[in-house]
Amino acid sequence: MRGVKDSEEGMFSYLSPEQRVPKNHPLRPIRDMVDSAFAEMWSQLETIYSSTGRPSIPPESLLKALLLQIFYSIRSERQLMEQMDYNLLFRWFVGLSMDDPVWYHSTFSKNRDRFLATDLAESFFRSILAQAEESKLLSEDHFSVDGTLIEAWASMKSVRPKDQSPDEPPKGGGRNGTVDFRGQKRRNETHASTTDPEAKLFRKGKGKETKLCYMGHVLIENRNGLVVNSRLTQASGKAEREAATDMICDLKGQHRITLAADKGYDAKEFVHDLRDLEATPHLAQNNTNRRSAIDGRTTRHEGYKISQRFRKRIEEVFGWAKTVGNIRKVKHRGVKKVALNFTLTVSAYNLVRMKNLRAQVGP
């Protein structure tokens, strides 16, 4: 018998979002880990808000919404608020009931920017990492490091000489005027973007095009490929090695560790710094037109070969962050905003990775 569609809508719903989300939904274990992190950060969350005035967006809900934006590759906060309005899964994850109004997108952005003056994103990352350590998912001895270019939210047409007035319109007229750079040399010392002055001109190698970029750096442990530290810096030729040194200094413990990396890190000064930090440099040898700083005393060991094989897992972090996390070309401007986005993205990666690892181990 053919069913008949009832066109009248019911005025009430007797099922909560909690009842509508499947028990085996992958976001359930992730929400549990996020809630545990917020429970540890409660005192810190209290200190960044005034005890008087109108209530703002709860910081826990705001951070959960930003994580959803990363998990589901939502391009803008306006689209995120639209999804929050009608998507029951999003409402459940953030903690909104069926009838709670969603936030206006500009209000959401202003509240997010409050985090720029705090280390809340870094604290959240550390809290998630502590859960991984408690679950014995981290290696304390073997690590890998690498960096990647992150394209800035600015056009090459915005690059102008620093001594030129930023209000001067481009030649050719119109909103998107013609700019001819033929025969001109553009350097970071003499030129800057009027759209994002903190982005730097950089190219990945000879024959590659120059872009306005930032650099994202991650340090992973080699057992399960979880990110244990991260940095966001301006793009430069030495940024990768300098960031790697800073991240190694942040590692706890006094025992010797190994650090694997590609041949771009094969430099005498960097190798010397690693040895001073009790880190054995398992770096890929760069024998192109020069002598490598890594000799047979290091490469003869089986551990070196294992490190070279496991270090490639770091590309999984960058691949996920750029395709799912949408940081191939960031939608924010300035080092602080891009760094906040980058830290939350690697935190989201760890959450997904930890959920999968725990599922393999079982209850």
Side-chain angles (χ1 to χ4, degrees):
M1 177 179 177
R2 180 181 179 183
V4 179
K5 183 179 182 302
D6 187 1
S7 60
E8 294 186 5
E9 297 182 0
M11 294 183 62
F12 303 99
S13 174
Y14 298 97
L15 294 178
S16 65
E18 175 67 29
Q19 294 173 288
R20 292 182 180 274
V21 177
K23 296 298 181 182
N24 61 347
H25 196 281
L27 277 183
R28 281 192 176 273
I30 290 179
R31 192 182 73 159
D32 292 340
M33 288 186 283
V34 172
D35 288 339
S36 297
F38 287 148
E40 295 182 1
M41 297 167 56
W42 179 261
S43 58
Q44 183 181 4
L45 295 172
E46 283 287 306
T47 58
I48 64 175
Y49 284 85
S50 173
S51 58
T52 60
R54 293 184 299 173
S56 62
I57 300 175
E60 300 93 332
S61 299
L62 196 151
L63 273 173
K64 284 182 177 180
L66 291 174
L67 289 174
L68 285 173
Q69 186 177 8
I70 296 169
F71 290 144
Y72 289 92
S73 308
I74 300 175
R75 292 179 55 83
S76 69
E77 289 165 4
R78 185 189 295 269
Q79 292 179 355
L80 177 63
M81 293 302 102
E82 290 178 359
Q83 286 269 8
M84 200 76 67
D85 194 23
Y86 61 78
N87 194 322
L88 289 180
L89 178 65
F90 283 25
R91 283 180 171 269
W92 166 82
F93 188 84
V94 171
L96 295 177
S97 69
M98 297 278 288
D99 299 322
D100 285 338
V102 298
W103 313 292
Y104 193 62
H105 65 88
S106 62
T107 304
F108 182 87
S109 300
K110 290 179 180 178
N111 278 265
R112 181 211 62 209
D113 290 345
R114 289 185 178 182
F115 295 161
L116 299 176
T118 69
D119 59 348
L120 193 61
E122 184 66 24
S123 297
F124 177 73
F125 171 79
R126 292 296 171 189
S127 183
I128 296 298
L129 198 63
Q131 296 182 42
E133 186 175 5
E134 184 179 354
S135 300
K136 301 186 183 304
L137 298 176
L138 301 180
S139 169
E140 298 181 352
D141 304 310
H142 308 291
F143 302 89
S144 297
V145 69
D146 202 358
T148 188
L149 290 179
I150 299 175
E151 192 174 348
W153 190 244
S155 168
M156 289 296 291
K157 289 184 178 181
S158 68
V159 178
R160 301 183 188 179
K162 292 182 178 180
D163 56 359
Q164 180 178 334
S165 173
D167 298 329
E168 183 178 336
K171 297 179 181 179
R175 176 176 175 271
N176 192 17
T178 302
V179 180
D180 184 9
F181 291 110
R182 186 180 297 275
Q184 299 182 22
K185 292 185 178 181
R186 293 171 290 173
R187 296 189 177 91
N188 290 318
E189 294 78 9
T190 57
H191 291 69
S193 169
T194 57
T195 305
D196 188 357
E198 293 184 281
K200 297 297 182 181
L201 293 167
F202 196 82
R203 63 176 180 177
K204 196 171 183 178
K206 293 183 178 179
K208 303 291 185 179
E209 64 175 314
T210 301
K211 296 181 179 180
L212 287 165
C213 298
Y214 292 97
M215 270 191 175
H217 316 268
V218 297
L219 179 72
I220 68 168
E221 50 81 35
N222 287 355
R223 178 183 299 168
N224 291 308
L226 289 170
V227 180
V228 297
N229 211 333
S230 66
R231 290 285 190 280
L232 191 286
T233 66
Q234 293 177 313
S236 71
K238 296 183 178 180
E240 286 186 308
R241 295 191 289 271
E242 292 173 352
T245 303
D246 289 342
M247 290 188 289
I248 290 296
C249 290
D250 288 347
L251 286 178
K252 296 181 180 179
Q254 301 297 325
H255 62 284
R256 179 171 288 277
I257 64 172
T258 66
L259 181 71
D262 60 33
K263 63 183 181 180
Y265 291 82
D266 184 7
K268 291 183 179 180
E269 293 182 2
F270 181 65
V271 171
H272 184 268
D273 291 341
L274 288 183
R275 297 191 187 279
D276 288 343
L277 294 171
E278 297 294 320
T280 302
H282 283 184
L283 313 179
Q285 291 179 297
N286 185 3
N287 296 314
T288 306
N289 299 326
R290 65 184 180 87
R291 184 177 179 181
S292 171
I294 305 297
D295 54 29
R297 293 175 298 176
T298 301
T299 59
R300 67 184 178 182
H301 296 288
E302 186 64 24
Y304 175 82
K305 299 177 182 178
I306 296 174
S307 292
Q308 288 301 301
R309 185 168 67 250
F310 275 84
R311 72 173 175 83
K312 298 175 183 178
R313 286 184 174 180
I314 205 166
E315 298 299 335
E316 297 176 7
V317 181
F318 294 140
W320 188 92
K322 289 188 175 183
T323 55
V324 178
N326 271 341
I327 65 165
R328 185 180 301 276
K329 187 180 182 74
V330 290
K331 305 303 183 293
H332 303 286
R333 297 188 178 107
V335 171
K336 289 185 177 181
K337 288 186 178 182
V338 177
L340 174 66
N341 188 23
F342 186 71
T343 302
L344 289 177
T345 301
V346 296
S347 299
Y349 173 84
N350 275 354
L351 285 168
V352 174
R353 182 71 178 141
M354 289 167 61
K355 184 264 296 181
N356 294 335
L357 290 171
R358 289 178 173 180
Q360 295 173 8
V361 175

